[in-house]
Amino acid sequence: MANKSIFRSVPGSRVPATDTVNREGAPAYQMKPYQALAQLAVTGTFNRTFYAGAGEQLDEVMDLAWQVQPDYLAKTAVYAFEQGRMKDMPALLLAVLSAMEGDEFNRAFPRIVRNGKMLRTFVQMIRSGVTGRKSLGSRPKRLVQAWLETASDEQLMRAAVGNSPSLADVIKMVHPKPKCRSREAFFGYLIGKPYEVGALPEVVKAFEAFKRDRTLPVPDVPFQMLTALELTKEHWVQIAQKAGWQMLRQNLNTFARNGVYQVPGFTRMIADRLRDRDTIRRAGVLPYQVMVACQYADQGVPYEVYDALQEALEIALELVPKVEGRVVVCPDVSGSMQSPVTGYRQGATTAVRCVDVAALVAAAMLRTNPDTVVLPFERTVVDVRLNPRDSVLTNAAKLASVGGGGTNCSAPLERLVEQRAQVDVVVFVSDNQSWLDAARSRYQGTGMMGNWHKLKVLNPKAKLVCIDIQPDTTSQAVERADILNVGGFSDQVFTAIAQMVDGGSSKEWTRMINAVEL
């Protein structure tokens, strides 16, 4: 008889053979170019991750960008910026697009370059030479000129914060043509050339006057331009009153250090701003950003403000779908998930780990779907008791505190098969680098696919959603009608889950990208 460990009979249709290996060298499935590009676009930050260096990500993106049509490249760039909340990646894709034929670049540019920071990032990408040239070229130059000429005075003032390149560098590079005395004076002010003082915009006059006299009202300029000055508690109150939601979230401890919470009414004002639903929506707040603010609010931050942050998290998670049927969520808590979700960056590494995001997704699904079964995994399933009535933050912290071993994406599915569990939807949140369940032969497929086939015998209508939160171009589950691979850590992954469960297909994510109108 032939070796049964190799030629054993598996119920159901044949498990697809793998066609590549992942970053651990274990069998995996290669994503198609359009899907791989989308995956990198919503997870890649050009920082070193646990498995890949920044250079590797750049090489992969550049290779994939030229394998897809310009229209899809443009839509991916816009989607990554508007829905994925990414910054560097959309700018790079836009820079690549500028070298392609067609008008997709012209249509995508205003959707992505909406502020001075994105303008400077785009110019930086071009000047770096990674897209094949170091000069802007006629088309990009015209659009950059147009942005500088039509931006509001407030937009230009905000754009003046930052270097490499600075806004002054960009102005010197493209030589915008000011259409009025005020803009001509403003450009001269920014690049250090002679200018007509009386023609300066009011916001610049107010800033220069405040530098001379601190008794004047705080000007409406980026607070980074003010922090080098000697500020009082009253100044910080004025800054907070004019600040956007993200600035408030990032400076709660700064307010405490400057004694601002002692000012009557300030605490209530901050709390009300943080929990305001419309403000949260307009600011595009990501759930994990609120989680970080909660984690790092020190003892000087009043409980009223902390409580408002928890309300903000619930609002940011409103897109978590209510899924009909039996739901299982599998957060990866292996050792590699302890790495920062946006990679390592000298002096600016985020405190948010991949495991924090995975735990947040699981806890959020549990909150919306109280009967959800949560199966954290590393080498095996890690047993953690969660209470659906606990806050999302409490359950996320419980999940993030366990694990640390190797990665075995098969483990939760194996348990479900052993239990002959009845399931409708299984959601994985992982970095996708399973290796402990590596098959001996690529013809056996991945361990994850093999166990999914067994579970499908018990649950023919079940669907599998694999959320990958790290930049990669392979998967452990091959794309097909009952399997959705989706990348990123914005609230759009919940939209993709909801649509997949509600009769959608494995093409749901790329359908969302293709639906972008340029």
Side-chain angles (χ1 to χ4, degrees):
M1 295 291 290
N3 188 337
K4 290 186 178 180
S5 66
I6 300 176
F7 297 102
R8 67 185 184 277
S9 176
V10 179
S13 57
R14 189 175 72 86
V15 178
T18 58
D19 54 7
T20 189
V21 295
N22 62 19
R23 298 188 190 277
E24 284 281 10
Y29 299 101
Q30 182 66 51
M31 294 181 180
K32 295 181 176 64
Y34 65 87
Q35 188 179 28
L37 178 67
Q39 166 65 24
L40 294 177
V42 297
T43 56
T45 57
F46 301 117
N47 297 324
R48 178 175 58 85
T49 66
F50 188 89
Y51 286 106
E56 291 178 71
Q57 295 179 49
L58 176 60
D59 291 342
E60 289 173 336
V61 171
M62 291 298 296
D63 181 56
L64 291 165
W66 287 96
Q67 293 185 48
V68 300
Q69 294 297 315
D71 182 68
Y72 184 79
L73 179 62
K75 291 181 176 182
T76 301
V78 172
Y79 181 89
F81 177 72
E82 294 183 346
Q83 307 299 333
R85 313 288 201 270
M86 307 299 285
K87 300 297 186 289
D88 292 350
M89 188 64 73
L92 175 68
L93 298 183
L94 190 62
V96 175
L97 196 63
S98 71
M100 295 182 174
E101 299 292 335
D103 67 343
E104 286 82 6
F105 170 71
N106 293 340
R107 290 186 286 158
F109 186 92
R111 295 285 295 276
I112 296 172
V113 181
R114 296 186 182 180
N115 54 57
K117 184 176 181 180
M118 286 303 297
L119 182 81
R120 291 189 295 103
T121 302
F122 169 72
V123 173
Q124 178 190 10
M125 296 294 185
I126 293 283
R127 293 184 69 193
S128 70
V130 299
T131 60
R133 65 185 185 193
K134 291 196 171 184
S135 62
L136 284 175
S138 57
R139 279 200 306 170
K141 183 177 180 180
R142 283 197 302 271
L143 290 175
V144 172
Q145 284 177 329
W147 192 93
L148 292 168
E149 291 165 4
T150 60
S152 68
D153 294 333
E154 289 72 20
Q155 285 179 308
L156 285 179
M157 204 66 174
R158 288 193 291 271
V161 175
N163 296 296
S164 302
S166 66
L167 182 62
D169 294 332
V170 177
I171 292 172
K172 293 175 184 178
M173 191 184 313
V174 303
H175 305 292
K177 298 176 176 57
K179 293 180 171 56
C180 63
R181 289 173 53 235
S182 175
R183 186 52 53 96
E184 182 178 9
F186 200 175
F187 286 158
Y189 170 83
L190 290 169
I191 65 177
K193 292 291 182 71
Y195 57 89
E196 184 182 350
V197 176
L200 283 173
E202 291 303 317
V203 65
V204 181
K205 291 178 181 178
F207 176 57
E208 291 299 320
F210 182 76
K211 288 163 64 176
R212 295 188 299 268
D213 183 0
R214 302 291 197 282
T215 64
L216 294 173
V218 175
D220 190 12
V221 298
F223 87 99
Q224 294 92 331
M225 301 177 74
L226 301 169
T227 51
L229 307 176
E230 188 174 339
L231 301 176
T232 65
K233 288 188 292 187
E234 289 70 27
H235 288 143
W236 277 105
V237 170
Q238 293 180 56
I239 290 172
Q241 288 172 334
K242 298 176 181 180
W245 197 96
Q246 295 288 11
M247 184 274 187
L248 293 179
R249 186 261 305 180
Q250 293 169 339
N251 289 277
L252 297 177
N253 293 338
T254 301
F255 298 148
R257 286 195 300 271
N258 287 279
V260 189
Y261 295 113
Q262 300 168 14
V263 176
F266 182 81
T267 297
R268 172 59 59 87
M269 183 272 289
I270 291 295
D272 288 344
R273 292 277 305 283
L274 288 174
R275 65 165 65 94
D276 185 77
R277 177 174 276 96
D278 292 337
T279 302
I280 290 170
R281 286 294 179 209
R282 285 196 304 270
V285 177
L286 297 177
Y288 84 85
Q289 293 174 324
V290 191
M291 178 178 67
V292 174
C294 291
Q295 289 176 336
Y296 288 92
D298 63 26
Q299 294 298 315
V301 177
Y303 182 78
E304 184 177 356
V305 173
Y306 183 82
D307 188 57
L309 281 174
Q310 295 195 74
E311 289 185 48
L313 179 59
E314 297 292 343
I315 294 169
L317 288 168
E318 285 180 348
L319 284 180
V320 178
K322 177 69 175 72
V323 179
E324 297 298 328
R326 295 150 297 194
V327 182
V328 179
V329 182
C330 310
D332 183 349
V333 295
S334 64
S336 61
M337 295 287 285
Q338 299 293 322
S339 63
V341 70
T342 54
Y344 300 93
R345 183 181 179 186
Q346 187 173 2
T349 298
T350 178
V352 185
R353 302 165 299 170
C354 294
V355 70
D356 295 320
V357 175
L360 182 62
V361 172
M365 291 288 289
L366 181 65
R367 165 60 64 86
T368 307
N369 306 275
D371 294 328
T372 293
V373 175
V374 180
L375 298 179
F377 70 93
E378 40 155 80
R379 299 176 65 90
T380 59
V381 171
V382 180
D383 292 314
V384 179
R385 187 178 181 83
L386 302 177
N387 184 349
R389 295 187 178 183
D390 283 343
S391 71
V392 171
L393 282 175
T394 298
N395 280 328
K398 285 182 182 179
L399 289 171
S401 66
V402 301
T407 309
N408 178 6
C409 289
S410 297
L413 297 178
E414 283 185 16
R415 173 168 291 193
L416 293 172
V417 171
E418 289 171 0
Q419 296 175 343
R420 300 186 66 80
Q422 298 298 301
V423 300
D424 295 295
V425 184
V426 180
V427 179
F428 273 76
V429 194
S430 173
D431 62 9
N432 219 24
Q433 301 302 314
S434 189
W435 57 276
L436 285 170
D437 55 350
R440 288 184 292 274
S441 167
R442 74 179 186 89
Y443 296 106
Q444 296 175 338
T446 62
M448 187 175 186
M449 278 302 296
N451 281 284
W452 178 245
H453 270 245
K454 295 176 184 177
L455 191 61
K456 286 284 285 185
V457 172
L458 302 171
N459 303 273
K461 295 183 179 179
K463 293 185 177 181
L464 174 65
V465 179
C466 302
I467 303 173
D468 195 334
I469 56 177
Q470 286 283 268
D472 196 19
T473 60
T474 68
S475 65
Q476 288 294 295
V478 69
E479 180 181 297
R480 65 182 200 187
D482 60 331
I483 298 174
L484 170 67
N485 284 299
V486 60
F489 36 85
S490 78
D491 51 12
Q492 285 302 299
V493 298
F494 296 125
T495 301
I497 293 172
Q499 294 178 350
M500 172 68 169
V501 173
D502 191 27
S505 70
S506 60
K507 307 287 186 182
E508 202 58 50
W509 187 32
T510 49
R511 187 200 64 76
M512 292 167 63
I513 294 174
N514 278 312
V516 172
E517 293 185 7
L518 296 177

